[in-house]
């Protein structure tokens, strides 16, 4: 279908990662697949491969805090479509994934044909969700408000927010992003204003809400 395609497959289960690879290779000719078994490696690979065409992201791998992991990945690669892959496939998780910028959602119970079809559709610019699921509407006004606020962040502000959540100081973020500390201070101020909070701690706590709801994980 699509030639010269590079895909990042990020999942901590080798067997399922292998199944994803098999499905993708059946859909795409001339493909290069890079693999990550934890979220830190996924971020490293996403940051070092500027020619990615697609990211498949497991929300529950080590280091990933549910949907906040999706926010972090979108901050790293805003232009690359992301398909969330999760065993937690309730309507809320799917809907919130799409609202936070995912281009698709694949349930871990999906068949090889469904995975293949989803990958093909997203690479063609479509938005894909599991069939026959009513995504409904958000019933938690705080989550709805938070997602709307996150949607206003620029990719760089999104990345800064994710790095704040990792506990990095301004000077560390400045080093990672190769910009001045003053620039990071300006980004942090903008993030706090857009999230409607007064401190970095409050921003991290707000972000953690989408990391733990509705997905319940220890990470």
């Amino acid at each position: 279908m699509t030639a010269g395609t590079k895909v990042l497959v990020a999942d901590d289960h080798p067997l399922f990662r292998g199944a994803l690879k098999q499905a993708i290779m059946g859909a795409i000719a001339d493909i290069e697949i890079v693999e990550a078994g934890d979220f830190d490696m996924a971020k490293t690979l996403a940051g070092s491969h500027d020619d990615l065409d697609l990211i498949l992201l497991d929300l529950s791998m080590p280091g990933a805090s549910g949907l906040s992991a999706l926010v972090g990945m979108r901050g790293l690669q805003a232009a690359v479509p992301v398909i969330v892959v999760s065993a937690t496939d309730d309507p809320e998780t799917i809907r919130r994934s799409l609202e936070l910028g995912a281009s698709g959602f694949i349930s871990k119970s999906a068949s090889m044909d469904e995975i293949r079809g989803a990958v093909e559709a997203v690479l063609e610019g479509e938005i894909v969700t599991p069939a026959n699921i009513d995504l409904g509407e958000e019933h938690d006004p705080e989550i709805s408000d938070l997602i709307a606020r996150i949607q206003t962040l620029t990719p760089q502000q999104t990345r800064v927010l994710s790095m704040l959540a990792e506990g990095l100081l301004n000077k560390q973020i400045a080093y990672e992003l190769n910009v001045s500390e003053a620039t990071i201070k300006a980004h942090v101020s903008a993030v706090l204003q857009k999230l409607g909070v007064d401190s970095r701690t409050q921003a991290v706590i707000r972000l953690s809400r989408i990391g733990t709801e509705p997905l319940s994980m220890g990470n």
Side-chain angles (χ1 to χ4, degrees):
M1 174 204 139
T2 305
T5 303
K6 181 181 284 190
V7 178
L8 167 59
V9 176
D11 191 288
D12 63 323
H13 295 285
L15 286 176
F16 189 76
R17 204 163 62 235
L20 287 174
K21 287 171 56 183
Q22 186 178 346
I24 295 168
M25 292 170 71
I28 307 167
D30 188 16
I31 184 171
E32 178 182 351
I33 296 177
V34 290
E35 299 179 57
D38 60 60
F39 191 54
D40 284 343
M41 178 57 70
K43 289 187 294 183
T44 298
L45 291 173
S48 60
H49 290 270
D50 292 331
D51 54 346
L52 286 173
D53 296 290
L54 179 66
I55 297 170
L56 273 67
L57 178 66
D58 174 20
L59 294 179
S60 57
M61 73 178 85
S65 298
L67 288 165
S68 59
L70 171 61
V71 175
M73 188 59 73
R74 296 289 297 147
L76 272 172
Q77 286 284 10
V80 180
V82 177
I83 297 177
V84 168
V85 181
S86 180
T88 308
D89 54 5
D90 58 278
E92 279 192 335
T93 302
I94 299 171
R95 185 185 62 252
R96 291 173 182 177
S97 296
L98 299 179
E99 290 175 345
L100 289 167
S103 295
F105 189 102
I106 295 174
S107 170
K108 287 200 171 183
S109 62
S111 68
M112 294 286 280
D113 284 342
E114 288 171 329
I115 296 171
R116 191 176 299 119
V119 168
E120 289 178 336
V122 169
L123 285 172
E124 290 172 356
E126 298 178 32
I127 303 294
V128 176
T129 60
N132 303 318
I133 289 186
D134 180 3
L135 298 184
E137 296 180 356
E138 184 61 60
H139 297 297
D140 185 331
E142 185 179 345
I143 293 289
S144 181
D145 175 69
L146 175 58
I147 289 175
R149 289 176 180 274
I150 289 174
Q151 289 170 341
T152 70
L153 299 177
T154 66
Q156 192 79 320
Q157 289 167 354
T158 302
R159 193 169 178 191
V160 168
L161 173 60
S162 297
M163 296 171 93
L164 290 177
E166 293 170 16
L168 298 186
L169 303 174
N170 284 1
K171 62 182 180 182
Q172 294 172 306
I173 298 174
Y175 176 79
E176 289 287 332
L177 300 184
N178 196 27
V179 297
S180 71
E181 196 170 341
T183 297
I184 296 305
K185 286 181 180 178
H187 281 317
V188 171
S189 295
V191 168
L192 298 185
Q193 182 179 14
K194 287 184 176 182
L195 292 186
V197 296
D198 299 320
S199 70
R200 300 157 62 106
T201 300
Q202 290 176 350
V204 172
I205 290 171
R206 285 216 76 185
L207 180 63
S208 72
R209 280 293 312 277
I210 61 164
T212 56
E213 294 187 12
L215 296 166
S216 56
M217 302 169 193
N219 294 324

